[in-house]
């Protein structure tokens, strides 16, 4: 195969090359990895699920994998969670396979038994060892029940075949049931399923052998193998390779990579994890096998995928979230339009955070994800002249969707760059991915012929003279400046000033506010030099990862880089710090702030700032146990991260103007600063653009 267009940005030989599995051929090397999106649990959502997958197959992906389906009730991830165990369910799954096959795609059903990770009091496991991330202690399975569970896997595989799936993926990583069987940490059994590694491997190997026997040879069996457990008392590289070889012998066609148990102390998928951080371990396993091996985790752009495959670390790449962000990822990459890809920024805000809140997964940068049949960007019959004022995430989303639908759009921005708050986010070490969203929108502005007017503080008078039909105000937010004596002291700066002007701050800094931005600022202030996210080796050192998994579980002591300054983070509340940060990434931010020795002080009231520093009163305890302490933090700077206020003067002016001949709309932080959140901004702005 050769490069389709010869562009530097295109995927060249490796990724687009078909992969022959003997009985079937995959059209390229890209897998849409399994991800629970919340459409799997109820049969009445299967039409939507069919369209969700069909759109990704249409977008060129070679092989798709469904979210996890349990082979039986005991393996439920949630009460009444997705499972495939009855004949009547086949009919619903056929909707999905039919839709994908109609788009020339192939799809596997993922079989996932949650074991002790089941968020239900009925969960089961090899031994009665409670997981640290679920409140329910599992019931230990008897030997007979284990044999029966193997039968349930086989039944599930046969039903998947009947539903016309091209194969199944057996989930053997992330700390779910099979991983629990494999490791002494969770398998304390003394019968034929526990003790020696041979015994602990028996379960997955029996599952695979018996499934292969029942489904025949023309059915893809992929196994997601935990190559790096990242928890104590787990497998090492020799065991991983031994299992991989045995799985190959038992009839597996493809080995996929799994990294880290859900309870691991090391982040594995959040935005601050370096791209393709774990591809080397996949390479180590691949060397030992003759079947194709798949790399996964934090692969989000074509050049990364190409590197992995061209360098021989893997035969394929698996990406889950990047297909939520852009269903056309493969087609764009193949056609040399990688710069048009809406990149997954690893934020988890609309996907995994939703899953954990039992809400349908979507995507922060693509609110259509998971809502393909509802949020449709229908072309307009009559183009209107649309003005969008403010090129932050809301303005960009509104302008691009409106232009995509066929409107003629002018986008005004007072600054010399687009991106609004994303420009600040992208300066935080570990948040470099946010630049990709700005790049994506910049390219869309070009592709969609949006008239971008930078350095333009447009006035209501000018808008009225320009003959627009619709005017959308997305003028964003400004940092909140609290009312406090000395707030105008030279020590006091806003987070925006610090990041925009790359200000050099002193050796002692107080961060006022402990929301998302307060945490970001602490990470910014406690780090110096290039971001570790851009240097895999240093990142692994800091998080204590033995990437070659010689140490059991792939862990070693953390080597934490020293902070260049003393940082205090303050809040008025007495609740625990960072409790409102996002579910799946908040723990990483809390861990970093702790690792870097940031001193957190709650129950604070701010008295004043003067040459001495920040004067505070700290109140702790309640009623007669209450203590009040006065303290002076002798800091060089106080950084305000105390939330935001809307900037909506222009909207108020236009709203009150009876002489205007256009409709006025308000979106984003300019509308609700209190709930400023890019996910909400992009979603509401896209929905607004659909109504224009
Ligand atoms: P925020 O989450 O609302 O936090 C504002 C902080 O300022 C709070 O700690 C609050 O705590 C304090 N505060 C509020 N009013 C104050 C006042 N008058 N004087 C002193 N302190 C005051 O806002 P944010 O940190 O600016 O973040 C805005 C949004 O950006 C978030 O909602 C989030 O969606 C998004 N974001 C998220 C992340 C992330 O990690 N996912 C990162 C950055 C931004 P007290 O009232 O207790 O003092
Ligand atoms: Fe990626 Fe964030 Fe979208 Fe999830 S919500 S798919 S992490 S960009």
């Amino acid at each position: 195969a050769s490069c389709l267009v010869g562009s530097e940005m295109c995927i060249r030989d490796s990724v687009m090359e078909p992969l022959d599995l003997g009985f079937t051929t995959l059209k390229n090397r890209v897998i849409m990895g399994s991800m629970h999106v919340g459409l799997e649990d109820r049969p009445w959502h299967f039409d939507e699920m069919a369209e969700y997958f069909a759109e990704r197959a249409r977008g060129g992906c070679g092989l798709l994998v469904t979210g996890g389906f349990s082979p039986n009730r005991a393996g439920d991830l949630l009460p009444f969670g997705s499972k495939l165990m009855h004949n009547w369910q086949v009919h619903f799954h056929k909707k999905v396979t039919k839709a994908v096959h109609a788009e020339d795609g192939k799809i596997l059903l993922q079989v996932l038994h949650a074991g002790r990770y089941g968020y239900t009091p009925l969960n089961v496991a090899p031994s009665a060892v409670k997981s640290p991330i679920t409140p329910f202690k599992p019931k230990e399975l008897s030997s007979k029940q284990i044999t029966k569970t193997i039968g349930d896997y086989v039944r599930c595989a046969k039903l998947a075949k009947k539903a016309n799936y091209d194969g199944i993926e057996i989930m053997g990583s992330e700390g779910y049931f099979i991983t629990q069987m494999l490791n002494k940490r969770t398998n304390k059994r003394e019968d034929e399923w526990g003790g020696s590694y041979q015994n602990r491997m028996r379960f997955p190997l029996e599952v695979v052998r018996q499934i292969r026997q029942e489904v025949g040879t023309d059915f893809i069996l992929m196994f997601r193998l935990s190559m790096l457990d990242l928890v104590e008392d787990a497998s090492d590289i020799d065991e991983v390779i031994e299992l991989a070889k045995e799985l190959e012998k038992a009839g597996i066609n493809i080995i996929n990579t799994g990294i880290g148990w859900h309870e691991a102390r090391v982040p594995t998928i959040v935005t601050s994890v370096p791209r393709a951080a774990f591809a080397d371990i996949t390479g180590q396993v691949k060397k030992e096998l003759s079947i194709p091996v798949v790399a996964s985790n934090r692969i989000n752009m074509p050049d990364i995928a190409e590197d992995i495959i061209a360098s021989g670390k893997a035969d394929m790449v698996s990406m889950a979230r990047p297909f939520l962000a852009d269903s056309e990822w493969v087609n764009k990459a193949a056609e040399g339009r990688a710069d048009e890809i809406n990149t997954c920024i690893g934020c988890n805000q609309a996907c995994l955070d939703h899953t954990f809140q039992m809400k349908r997964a979507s995507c922060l940068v693509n609110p259509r994800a998971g809502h393909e049949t509802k949020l449709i960007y229908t072309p307009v019959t009559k183009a209107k002249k649309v003005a969008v004022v403010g090129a932050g995430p809301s303005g960009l989303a509104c302008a691009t969707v409106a232009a995509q639908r066929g409107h003629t759009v002018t986008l005004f921005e007072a600054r010399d760059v687009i991106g609004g708050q994303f420009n600040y986010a992208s300066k935080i070490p570990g948040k470099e991915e946010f630049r990709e969203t700005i790049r994506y929108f910049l390219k869309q502005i070009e592709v969609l012929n949006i008239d971008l007017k930078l350095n333009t503080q447009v006035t209501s008078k000018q808008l009225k003279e320009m003959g627009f039909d619709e005017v959308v105000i997305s003028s964003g937010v400004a940092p909140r400046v609290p009312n406090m004596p000395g707030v105008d002291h030279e020590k006091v700066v806003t987070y925006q000033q610090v990041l925009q002007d790359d200000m050099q701050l002193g050796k002692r800094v107080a961060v006022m506010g402990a929301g998302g931005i307060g945490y970001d600022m602490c990470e910014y202030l406690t780090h110096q030099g290039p971001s570790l996210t851009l240097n895999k080796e240093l990142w692994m050192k800091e998080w204590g990862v033995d990437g070659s998994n010689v140490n059991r579980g792939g862990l070693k002591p953390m080597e934490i880089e020293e902070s260049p300054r003393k940082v205090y983070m303050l809040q008025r509340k007495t609740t625990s710090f960072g409790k409102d940060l996002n579910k799946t990434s908040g723990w990483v931010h809390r861990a970093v702030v702790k690792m870097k020795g940031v001193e957190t002080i709650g129950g604070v009231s701010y008295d004043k700032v003067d040459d001495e520093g920040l004067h505070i009163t700290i109140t702790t305890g309640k009623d007669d146990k209450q203590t009040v302490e006065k303290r002076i933090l002798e800091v060089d700077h106080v950084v305000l991260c105390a939330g935001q206020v809307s900037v909506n003067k222009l909207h108020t002016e236009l709203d009150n103007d009876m002489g205007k001949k256009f409709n006025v709309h308000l979106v984003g932080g300019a509308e609700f600063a209190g709930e400023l959140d890019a996910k909400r901004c992009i979603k509401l702005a896209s929905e607004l653009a659909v109504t224009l």
Side-chain angles (χ1 to χ4, degrees):
S2 61
C3 177
L4 296 179
V5 288
S7 150
E8 249 199 79
M9 291 294 283
C10 90
I11 289 191
R12 288 168 296 271
D13 306 325
S14 318
V15 177
M16 293 312 294
E17 203 174 306
L19 182 69
D20 186 0
L21 294 176
F23 59 95
T24 189
T25 300
L26 305 178
K27 64 180 171 190
N28 53 51
R29 305 301 182 97
V30 185
I31 296 180
M32 176 177 171
S34 176
M35 177 148 167
H36 197 87
V37 285
L39 294 169
E40 301 83 354
D41 302 323
R42 306 287 170 256
W44 53 89
H45 287 149
F46 273 51
D47 286 318
E48 285 175 85
M49 184 157 74
E51 186 46 36
Y52 163 76
F53 280 118
E55 191 161 312
R56 272 85 197 160
R58 203 153 48 235
C61 182
L63 183 66
L64 304 110
V65 187
T66 67
F69 284 83
S70 176
N72 59 24
R73 255 179 226 107
D76 271 358
L77 202 49
L78 299 166
F80 308 108
S82 52
K83 53 185 131 336
L84 178 55
M85 56 184 290
H86 302 293
N87 235 322
W88 62 263
Q89 293 168 316
V90 167
H91 159 74
F92 296 101
H93 285 270
K94 275 188 175 167
K95 294 181 182 196
V96 176
T97 53
K98 188 173 171 206
V100 170
H101 292 155
E103 299 295 346
D104 190 29
K106 288 189 166 43
I107 182 159
L108 310 183
L109 177 104
Q110 191 192 63
V111 187
L112 181 156
H113 187 305
R116 71 176 192 154
Y117 278 173
Y119 209 84
T120 123
L122 304 177
N123 65 359
V124 297
S127 303
V129 183
K130 194 181 97 60
S131 99
I133 58 170
T134 33
F136 308 105
K137 187 172 178 178
K139 191 169 156 287
E140 178 173 319
L141 287 171
S142 68
S143 174
K144 209 165 138 202
Q145 285 170 320
I146 291 180
T147 311
K148 161 119 191 3
T149 305
I150 296 174
D152 296 340
Y153 270 83
V154 176
R155 178 184 59 201
C156 185
K158 282 164 69 180
L159 290 171
K161 187 163 185 186
K162 205 166 166 188
N164 298 327
Y165 282 103
D166 300 278
I168 58 167
E169 174 177 67
I170 299 167
M171 179 44 137
S173 66
E174 295 0 60
Y176 290 115
F177 184 71
I178 288 184
T179 350
Q180 294 159 27
M181 270 288 185
L182 284 166
N183 291 283
K184 278 195 172 151
R185 174 184 179 83
T186 40
N187 182 344
K188 314 280 183 197
R189 304 178 71 94
E190 290 171 359
D191 60 3
E192 70 272 34
W193 306 105
S196 70
Y197 193 53
Q198 296 309 314
N199 279 357
R200 285 180 277 131
M201 281 198 301
R202 193 185 307 275
F203 181 82
L205 294 177
E206 272 308 308
V207 164
V208 174
R209 277 187 208 116
Q210 293 190 27
I211 288 178
R212 179 55 85 203
Q213 202 168 13
E214 288 293 328
V215 296
T217 49
D218 60 344
F219 190 65
I220 302 171
L221 294 188
M222 179 154 83
F223 189 93
R224 188 136 190 224
L225 174 67
S226 189
M227 298 195 187
L228 205 56
D229 292 312
L230 299 177
V231 288
E232 276 91 21
D233 213 3
S235 305
D236 62 17
I237 186 68
D238 294 336
E239 288 173 342
V240 170
I241 289 169
E242 188 181 348
L243 175 59
K245 285 180 171 169
E246 291 299 322
L247 287 166
E248 177 172 352
K249 277 193 235 155
I252 285 292
N253 304 104
I254 307 174
I255 293 277
N256 193 2
T257 299
I259 303 290
W261 292 32
H262 286 320
E263 66 204 65
R265 65 154 171 81
V266 181
T268 56
I269 56 167
V270 299
T271 188
S272 56
V273 175
R275 287 180 174 185
F278 306 104
D280 293 339
I281 188 85
T282 308
Q284 264 179 275
V285 176
K286 179 181 154 49
K287 278 196 308 231
E288 308 286 336
L289 303 178
S290 49
I291 51 173
V293 176
V294 186
S296 80
N297 285 56
R298 287 287 286 121
I299 301 166
N300 62 351
M301 284 302 276
D303 55 336
I304 304 288
E306 179 62 27
D307 256 18
I308 292 172
I309 297 178
S311 64
K313 286 181 192 156
D315 303 280
M316 302 186 79
V317 291
S318 171
M319 299 178 290
R321 298 172 300 168
F323 280 105
L324 290 184
D326 197 330
S327 58
E328 286 188 278
W329 194 102
V330 174
N331 285 348
K332 287 180 180 175
E335 291 162 9
R337 297 190 290 129
D339 55 352
E340 287 181 44
I341 289 176
N342 197 359
T343 306
C344 165
I345 57 175
C347 65
N348 287 352
Q349 273 175 254
C351 54
L352 294 175
D353 282 340
H354 278 206
T355 307
F356 278 87
Q357 292 160 18
M358 293 181 208
K359 292 200 294 203
R360 182 179 302 187
S362 185
C363 173
L364 180 140
V365 299
N366 173 25
R368 286 199 67 246
H371 301 277
E372 285 73 14
T373 60
K374 302 265 163 60
L375 184 58
I376 303 170
Y377 302 154
T378 320
V380 290
T381 43
K382 186 172 172 292
K384 291 185 189 174
K385 269 188 82 178
V386 177
V388 178
V389 183
S394 309
L396 290 165
C398 189
T400 50
V401 174
Q404 196 181 326
R405 295 185 59 223
H407 291 310
T408 306
V409 179
T410 307
L411 176 58
F412 298 95
E413 168 56 48
R415 291 182 60 191
D416 58 352
V417 287
I418 66 160
Q421 294 286 316
F422 270 32
N423 286 297
Y424 308 124
S426 69
K427 291 206 172 172
I428 306 298
K431 284 203 161 175
E432 294 77 13
E433 291 288 0
F434 283 68
R435 285 181 211 147
E436 293 286 7
T437 307
I438 300 174
R439 181 267 309 147
Y440 163 76
F441 278 121
L442 210 46
K443 185 67 190 176
Q444 289 301 304
I445 286 169
E446 181 195 318
V447 170
L448 297 166
N449 268 322
I450 293 172
D451 186 9
L452 172 64
K453 299 205 179 297
L454 292 174
N455 301 306
T456 307
Q457 184 94 50
V458 71
T459 63
S460 54
K461 183 164 173 284
Q462 286 166 331
L463 285 169
K464 287 203 299 190
E465 286 164 3
M466 284 187 238
F468 290 109
D469 301 306
E470 308 279 347
V471 172
V472 178
I473 307 293
S474 51
S475 40
V477 292
R480 174 185 288 125
V481 178
N483 197 0
M484 164 185 69
V487 77
D488 48 0
H489 193 280
E490 60 183 4
K491 284 178 192 272
V492 182
V493 289
T494 65
Y495 73 89
Q496 201 160 311
Q497 286 170 311
V498 173
L499 297 171
Q500 189 168 311
D501 305 338
D502 293 320
M503 284 177 81
Q504 294 302 311
L505 299 191
K507 285 277 174 201
R508 296 169 66 86
V509 177
V511 171
M512 187 188 290
I517 291 178
Y519 269 84
D520 276 359
M521 184 47 63
C522 285
E523 290 184 43
Y524 178 84
L525 294 171
T526 54
H527 177 79
Q528 61 186 337
S531 164
L532 299 190
T533 299
L534 306 177
N535 186 327
K536 202 158 77 177
E537 280 69 36
L538 291 181
W539 182 88
M540 291 217 176
K541 239 177 158 177
E542 177 146 296
W543 283 97
V545 179
D546 160 28
S548 50
N549 199 10
V550 175
N551 297 349
R552 221 159 248 294
L555 292 177
K556 58 184 184 182
M558 294 165 87
E559 291 178 48
I560 299 160
E561 195 199 50
E562 207 183 321
S563 167
R565 55 176 63 82
K566 166 78 188 169
V567 176
Y568 302 90
M569 178 162 54
L570 314 172
Q571 67 175 17
R572 297 172 304 176
K573 290 186 277 290
T574 48
T575 48
S576 60
F577 271 78
K579 93 174 175 33
D580 294 330
L581 295 177
N582 302 342
K583 176 90 184 153
T584 61
S585 53
W587 69 272
V588 184
H589 298 297
R590 288 191 293 270
V592 172
V593 158
K594 204 167 167 193
M595 273 152 62
K596 299 293 178 149
V598 171
E599 186 177 337
T600 53
I601 311 175
V604 163
S605 61
Y606 304 105
D607 302 331
K608 64 175 177 183
V609 178
D610 62 15
D611 291 346
E612 269 188 291
L614 174 61
H615 299 243
I616 55 174
T617 305
I618 309 165
T619 309
T620 46
K622 270 189 185 161
D623 305 326
D624 54 343
K625 297 229 171 71
Q626 197 173 68
T627 60
V628 178
E629 181 199 351
K630 293 262 180 205
R631 209 172 145 184
I632 303 169
L633 304 178
E634 291 168 8
V635 291
D636 307 303
H637 288 101
V638 177
V639 185
L640 302 180
C641 301
Q644 338 274 330
V645 290
S646 297
V647 176
N648 52 17
K649 186 167 153 274
L650 181 61
H651 179 260
T652 312
E653 240 174 81
L654 286 171
D655 215 26
N656 294 333
D657 187 335
M658 294 304 143
K660 63 180 183 292
K661 295 203 170 60
F662 46 71
N663 301 311
V664 183
H665 313 268
L666 184 63
V667 281
E671 190 184 13
F672 288 123
E675 291 174 42
L676 176 67
D677 163 4
K679 177 184 75 176
R680 186 175 161 278
C681 286
I682 292 178
K683 179 170 180 286
L684 292 187
S686 305
E687 287 170 358
L688 169 64
V690 168
T691 66
L692 295 178

